[in-house]
Amino acid sequence: MIRKFAAVCVMVLIALPAAAQIKIEEVTSEGGIKAWLVNEPSIPFIALQIAFRGGTSLDTPENLGATNLMMGLLEEGTGDMDAAAYRRATESLAANFSFDAGRDSVRISAQVLKSNADEALDLLRKAIVEPAFNAPAIERVRGQVITGLQSALEDPQAIAQKTMSEIAFGDHPYGRPSDGTIESVTALTRDDLVAAHKAALGKDHLVIGVVGDVTAAELGPMLDRLLGALPATGAPLPEKVEFAAPAGVTVVDFPSPQSVAIWAQDSDINMQHPDFMPVYVMNHILGGGGFGSRLTEEVREKRGLTYGVYSYLNWMEATQYYGGSVASGNGTIGQAIDVIRTEWARMAEEGVTEDELEKAKKYLTGSYALRFDGNSRIARILVSSQLDYFPIDYANTRNDRVNAVTVEDISRVAKENLNSDALQFVVVGQPEGVDSTQ
Amino acid sequence: MIFRALAIVCSVAIVPFAAQAETGKVTTFELDNGLKGIVIEDHRAPIVTNMVWYNVGSADEPPGMTGVAHFLEHLMFKGTDTLKPGEFSKTVKENGGVDNAFTSYDYTGYFQRVAVDRLPLMMQLEADRMRNLVLTEDEVITERNVVLEERNSRIESDPRSLFQEQRRAMTFMNHPYRNPVIGWRHEIEALNLDDAIAFYRTYYAPNNATLVVAGDVTPEQVKALAQEHFGPLEPSDNIPPRVRPQEPPHLSAVRLSFSDPRQSQPYLVRSYLAPKRQSGNQDEAAALTILSYLLGGSGLSSVLGQKLQLDQQLAVYTDAWYDSTSYDPETFGIYAMPRPGVSLEQLEAAMDTVLADFLKDGVDMEHLKRLKTQIAAEDIYELDNQSDVARTYGRAITAGLTVEDVQSWSKTLQSVTPEQVMEAAAKVLDMRKSVTGLMLTPTEEPAQ
């Protein structure tokens, strides 16, 4: 008949330099649920990370915020247990569950003790598969979400992000507020939440990472019990979209002595792009690496204009762009922006030196192993690797790919990808000498 | 999220001996020059966390010079006799490591996480900057601007932080805990090279520091490396006794309100002066810790949450916190954010009733049992985070506690009785020792 235990399809030994070997197994349960597992028995607990692709971008204009509110309600009661009873039950088992809704995925994290793992996961199953969405819980969590939305309206960083998203993505789901608006969340009904639950938690979008005191043979049946009853398919993922913000500056008036600025330009580079690694290493040198990166040296260390300045490559399920962020006093933000533009242009023109590249490689390859520190952290990495469509042996080849990058590669990708004239800056504050371009 | 910034939740830490093979084993040593060492073994991966904790924080600053401890922390990344400015972090990076530092009221700490074979280099770097820091006027001025921007980001841009600063200044009448760690803006603006160097020469020495190393190492290895790198450093013979001005009796409840056009969400915070963990006698602090878990914690199971969020539906969030681990007595606090349409006055009255009822009715035994189950589990979960365990020890040592105090803490928590909780609650929840802060919305009238 059917095999009794989960099939282990792939097993990969990751020989991280300066790290113990991490053995990642791909487990497929009898019910067809796949997970990446690291068996680590030295501490008697299990860390699980469960993600479903889609996230809040599955919301429609009519039910903005439904996915986020739905996720906030999963631990707020199931069957005959109300929210308080459910919470007491988790506390009695000393299990830790958390539920989170992001732009591209919803995530469930769990830490359960080996000694009562079956009971704890049964409790988790009820939250995931049979949430009650009862009226008092909906009203209570709605109130908390609205409080968060209210705070975001007063947070310069959040205002900047929201403004940039609207300019760049317009009517695409990425252009809408991830957690909805006060008005939209106020209007959500129980039916919206039930629909969002069905749309967001389809098994076709499921990605799982497990690390801890559990074997592949034990994990398969565990996953079938935990997630088997979920719908086979969820809502389709959003269509691809280009980052379409025009070049220029958008100032949002906000009464604060310091301005927050974020900037971005369109980019073709995502994880699957053959130039991903050269661009990634270039970004580390330009502004991704904190101390030693050009932006930190020029804006913070030489001029004292900021506490923090970063650039980043943001790859998402349906788009990608290249940008950064900085905060500086209203009187100095203009100078900070000028320096950033100059560095952006200088990288495009000059590329990097051998010395800079050598140092970046040493850091990026040497520090990679530090990420694999702790069961819960490794479980998160297993999930994000799958969300990024990496092969299971990615960690084995990643440092070689970093080391293969040359100065010539970076010169080329910097020219192709960086355009200081194309940058859109969103500035939130009362900046002196910085004005909106339209 | 909002109140997490205010509530410093005590992380409970106990590392069981031997039982978990060697992972979790903790040993100590001391060098002849007074440097203390703590080694926390974690053999799951060949990675190490290297930390140096100095027994000096913002509460040790000279009057009028708030922010100098934190400012010096920034300047410690400049050069030494043998290292160019900025070379410290660059060297760590080139060795595949990450590094950072932190300052609080009672401590200043520096750390690196690296592959274990780079530990000797990290120790060499830390030993070097412990005694050989070199600063120039230009660097100091530029870095002062960085710190002012940090203050802009952390405090001036956030009404809740501004209010917290005001509340703390009213909470401590005499103790320097009244001053913000980052410093008052006008005093940061006046800090100079001489101030920083004087502070450095006074406090940065092996006999005022603790080395905490967590990771894939043995105690023998760490002690030998520490001897090699820190051993030759001269101890300081003029470290001032750690005696800060203490609080007089608090006889009058304090109230203050605050509003800011950027903040539309009202809330209520009350803190009470509270005793701290005493080395060798942690019972009262353990009872207060349990009290904070009973009153606060999850809004769905705590006393404040059950009454104010679930039953009466007056609050969106509630919480309680207790700062147990500090060199001088700190605070116990409670927090509540009203639902729209509920006034702060109404919420405060309801909160006072909840506290009064709790003092009358006592501890729910089922609730206490659940907490103790969670505390026991925390002994297992926390082993997963090497850096957190190292921090727990560093914080405790710089607060005047010992390794034994840290190791018996979980057991002390387990042995807390309902009577001890109620006794501690009755003593601490005393309005005369309280500061009640109301964050008003710009449209709301102050509650009188």
Side-chain angles (χ1 to χ4, degrees):
Chain A
M1 253 213 38
I2 313 169
R3 283 163 303 165
K4 194 144 188 124
F5 293 124
V8 178
C9 305
V10 190
M11 192 182 287
V12 171
L13 289 175
I14 298 207
L16 292 164
Q21 283 204 333
I22 292 174
K23 191 173 81 176
I24 306 178
E25 301 169 62
E26 182 173 275
V27 175
T28 305
S29 75
E30 208 172 288
I33 297 173
K34 280 191 166 59
W36 288 6
L37 165 70
V38 174
N39 173 238
E40 165 53 74
S42 65
I43 306 175
F45 84 99
I46 305 165
L48 284 103
Q49 289 280 327
I50 300 162
F52 297 84
R53 286 181 207 280
T56 62
S57 61
L58 299 178
D59 285 350
T60 63
E62 291 71 40
N63 72 352
L64 280 186
T67 304
N68 180 58
L69 181 59
M70 179 276 292
M71 287 302 288
L73 277 157
L74 292 187
E75 58 187 329
E76 295 273 333
T78 166
D80 54 358
M81 267 190 273
D82 67 7
Y86 188 82
R87 174 69 201 182
R88 288 194 296 266
T90 17
E91 289 178 355
S92 299
L93 295 168
N96 296 321
F97 302 147
S98 73
F99 302 84
D100 181 54
R103 270 270 186 229
D104 277 339
S105 65
V106 296
R107 300 205 189 197
I108 299 158
S109 312
Q111 283 184 325
V112 300
L113 296 173
K114 173 76 174 171
S115 58
N116 62 22
D118 285 345
E119 273 177 282
L121 291 177
D122 190 50
L123 198 58
L124 181 61
R125 177 189 65 78
K126 288 178 180 156
I128 298 173
V129 178
E130 304 163 0
F133 297 126
N134 63 38
I138 293 174
E139 290 320 310
R140 195 173 51 252
V141 178
R142 191 201 305 271
Q144 293 173 340
V145 169
I146 289 173
T147 299
L149 292 169
Q150 188 70 50
S151 296
L153 293 178
E154 294 146 5
D155 172 9
Q157 196 73 45
I159 296 168
Q161 292 294 348
K162 177 175 176 283
T163 307
M164 183 68 90
S165 298
E166 287 167 1
I167 297 172
F169 301 115
D171 291 337
H172 187 274
Y174 287 168
R176 304 172 197 149
S178 184
D179 298 347
T181 64
I182 293 175
E183 295 70 34
S184 75
V185 172
T186 303
L188 289 172
T189 65
R190 185 176 187 280
D191 288 348
D192 292 327
L193 299 172
V194 172
H197 180 251
K198 214 174 146 203
L201 303 186
K203 280 189 281 191
D204 55 337
H205 292 146
L206 183 55
V207 161
I208 302 171
V210 180
V211 182
D213 195 358
V214 59
T215 65
E218 291 163 343
L219 182 61
M222 209 179 250
L223 294 175
D224 281 341
R225 281 199 303 275
L226 182 64
L227 303 164
L230 286 173
T233 55
L237 301 183
E239 286 171 16
K240 301 277 179 203
V241 61
E242 295 257 308
F243 177 94
V249 178
T250 305
V251 175
V252 182
D253 182 75
F254 187 74
S256 175
Q258 189 186 53
S259 292
V260 165
I262 64 172
W263 68 90
Q265 63 159 89
D266 183 28
S267 162
D268 295 331
I269 307 296
N270 61 16
M271 307 297 308
Q272 285 73 49
H273 196 287
D275 283 340
F276 174 79
M277 199 48 88
V279 173
Y280 180 77
V281 176
M282 174 198 75
N283 177 59
H284 176 82
I285 296 167
L286 176 56
F291 287 111
S293 78
R294 289 182 181 183
L295 291 180
T296 298
E297 289 302 308
E298 296 297 324
V299 184
R300 174 174 160 152
E301 293 300 283
K302 285 192 191 157
R303 295 178 177 84
L305 298 174
T306 190
Y307 177 56
V309 55
Y310 300 97
S311 65
Y312 43 80
L313 190 59
N314 195 7
W315 59 91
M316 300 168 71
E317 185 74 39
T319 194
Q320 56 279 322
Y321 58 90
Y322 192 29
S325 76
V326 69
S328 187
N330 285 330
T332 49
I333 187 76
Q335 194 190 347
I337 289 172
D338 289 345
V339 175
I340 290 162
R341 275 193 198 280
T342 303
E343 288 305 315
W344 214 258
R346 182 164 78 92
M347 179 62 87
E349 279 160 33
E350 299 174 8
V352 301
T353 66
E354 284 288 356
D355 182 54
E356 283 176 310
L357 178 59
E358 202 49 44
K359 286 175 175 162
K361 284 180 180 178
K362 282 183 181 164
Y363 172 74
L364 291 170
T365 56
S367 64
Y368 188 54
L370 299 180
R371 300 185 197 175
F372 294 77
D373 173 30
N375 296 357
S376 297
R377 286 220 260 180
I378 297 171
R380 277 196 292 276
I381 292 171
L382 296 183
V383 161
S384 43
S385 300
Q386 293 175 80
L387 288 173
D388 284 338
Y389 302 97
F390 285 160
I392 194 166
D393 66 345
Y394 174 79
N396 268 344
T397 60
R398 184 265 191 192
N399 276 356
D400 291 341
R401 294 175 63 201
V402 173
N403 280 325
V405 173
T406 65
V407 165
E408 292 72 31
D409 291 334
I410 294 187
S411 290
R412 178 180 56 79
V413 299
K415 265 193 192 66
E416 287 172 7
N417 290 282
L418 295 179
N419 182 357
S420 63
D421 294 332
L423 294 173
Q424 163 70 225
F425 279 83
V426 173
V427 186
V428 179
Q430 293 175 329
E432 292 162 25
V434 180
D435 297 306
S436 290
T437 47
Q438 60 236 338
Chain B
M1 281 297 284
I2 294 156
F3 57 78
R4 281 295 157 203
L6 309 173
I8 300 159
V9 178
C10 158
S11 73
V12 182
I14 261 295
V15 179
F17 277 109
Q20 317 281 343
E22 297 291 89
T23 288
K25 189 174 152 204
V26 179
T27 43
T28 61
F29 63 84
E30 185 168 340
L31 302 184
D32 290 342
N33 62 11
L35 182 90
K36 293 192 178 67
I38 298 176
V39 183
I40 301 156
E41 293 181 53
D42 177 358
H43 299 290
R44 290 178 298 164
I47 291 170
V48 72
T49 303
N50 181 53
M51 301 183 125
V52 176
W53 292 72
Y54 292 93
N55 297 312
V56 64
S58 63
D60 301 297
E61 292 163 343
M65 229 178 260
T66 60
V68 72
H70 170 255
F71 186 39
L72 177 61
E73 177 226 297
H74 276 236
L75 295 171
M76 286 288 283
F77 292 86
K78 303 301 177 190
T80 68
D81 293 342
T82 52
L83 218 54
K84 283 185 297 197
E87 207 176 330
F88 188 102
S89 286
K90 285 170 195 163
T91 307
V92 175
K93 281 209 162 80
E94 283 167 37
N95 283 277
V98 296
D99 71 329
N100 216 325
F102 44 85
T103 308
S104 188
Y105 300 104
D106 293 327
Y107 54 79
T108 312
Y110 301 83
F111 72 90
Q112 303 85 39
R113 293 184 65 241
V114 282
V116 70
D117 63 345
R118 309 301 160 95
L119 181 60
L121 177 61
M122 298 303 116
M123 285 208 198
Q124 182 195 322
L125 289 168
E126 283 293 8
D128 180 33
R129 70 175 170 181
M130 185 177 281
R131 289 309 243 169
N132 305 321
L133 186 67
V134 174
L135 299 174
T136 68
E137 195 67 51
D138 277 358
E139 283 165 2
V140 167
I141 304 291
T142 306
E143 198 60 33
R144 195 172 65 195
N145 287 331
V146 171
V147 172
L148 286 166
E149 288 297 345
E150 181 180 358
R151 197 189 141 83
N152 271 341
S153 291
R154 287 189 195 278
I155 314 284
E156 325 282 1
S157 295
D158 183 358
R160 291 161 301 199
S161 300
L162 284 169
F163 187 30
Q164 188 188 15
E165 233 176 41
Q166 299 290 312
R167 285 188 290 106
R168 263 194 93 84
M170 305 296 284
T171 303
F172 296 95
M173 294 192 255
N174 197 40
H175 193 284
Y177 283 163
R178 69 202 322 272
N179 300 316
V181 172
I182 199 167
W184 297 110
R185 186 173 194 96
H186 66 286
E187 293 186 353
I188 301 173
E189 283 167 345
L191 291 174
N192 60 40
L193 189 153
D194 293 344
D195 297 337
I197 285 292
F199 197 77
Y200 172 71
R201 297 234 166 94
T202 306
Y203 290 106
Y204 281 56
N207 50 333
N208 200 38
T210 303
L211 176 72
V212 183
V213 178
D216 190 15
V217 288
T218 66
E220 296 72 30
Q221 288 169 336
V222 175
K223 187 175 179 192
L225 285 171
Q227 182 59 48
E228 181 185 345
H229 296 288
F230 293 94
L233 300 181
E234 283 297 313
S236 167
D237 56 7
N238 63 347
I239 296 167
R242 215 170 184 202
V243 182
R244 288 90 164 250
Q246 297 296 302
E247 287 298 288
H250 285 210
L251 305 174
S252 171
V254 175
R255 296 181 71 78
L256 68 164
S257 60
F258 183 80
S259 72
D260 186 298
R262 295 169 294 181
Q263 174 81 19
S264 68
Q265 203 73 54
Y267 60 83
L268 160 67
V269 192
R270 185 185 295 155
S271 61
Y272 304 85
L273 222 51
K276 62 178 185 113
R277 284 165 72 182
Q278 303 278 358
S279 185
N281 177 11
Q282 306 187 90
D283 290 357
E284 188 178 28
L288 285 169
T289 301
I290 298 280
L291 176 67
S292 72
Y293 295 166
L294 287 167
L295 293 179
S298 164
L300 295 169
S301 60
S302 68
V303 172
L304 288 169
Q306 181 72 42
K307 298 278 169 59
L308 299 177
Q309 292 177 238
L310 297 179
D311 295 350
Q312 302 174 38
Q313 306 198 359
L314 296 172
V316 186
Y317 291 108
T318 58
D319 199 18
W321 79 90
Y322 168 51
D323 300 320
S324 65
T325 309
S326 54
Y327 193 78
D328 288 315
E330 259 277 359
T331 53
F332 185 98
I334 46 184
Y335 169 96
M337 178 178 275
R339 282 178 72 110
V342 175
S343 72
L344 288 174
E345 205 176 359
Q346 193 184 352
L347 182 61
E348 187 180 3
M351 191 171 84
D352 282 329
T353 306
V354 172
L355 294 177
D357 288 349
F358 177 78
L359 288 171
K360 199 165 65 206
D361 299 343
V363 175
D364 172 356
M365 293 306 289
E366 272 302 306
H367 192 180
L368 183 62
K369 191 179 154 202
R370 290 201 309 275
L371 285 179
K372 290 188 175 179
T373 303
Q374 291 175 279
I375 290 165
E378 198 51 41
D379 289 352
I380 292 170
Y381 289 136
E382 70 163 16
L383 289 175
D384 200 33
N385 198 325
Q386 187 182 98
S387 304
D388 279 1
V389 178
R391 271 182 185 248
T392 299
Y393 277 90
R395 276 192 66 189
I397 298 301
T398 50
L401 298 168
T402 63
V403 167
E404 293 71 32
D405 292 326
V406 176
Q407 293 183 331
S408 62
W409 180 238
S410 177
K411 212 176 285 170
T412 309
L413 289 171
Q414 286 294 347
S415 67
V416 168
T417 64
E419 293 72 31
Q420 286 175 312
V421 173
M422 297 316 293
E423 196 183 322
K427 177 178 158 186
V428 166
L429 301 177
D430 174 351
M431 282 307 284
R432 292 175 306 166
K433 298 178 193 167
S434 73
V435 176
T436 305
L438 306 180
M439 173 64 93
L440 306 176
T441 58
T443 53
E444 193 166 356
E445 291 299 315
Q448 285 300 325

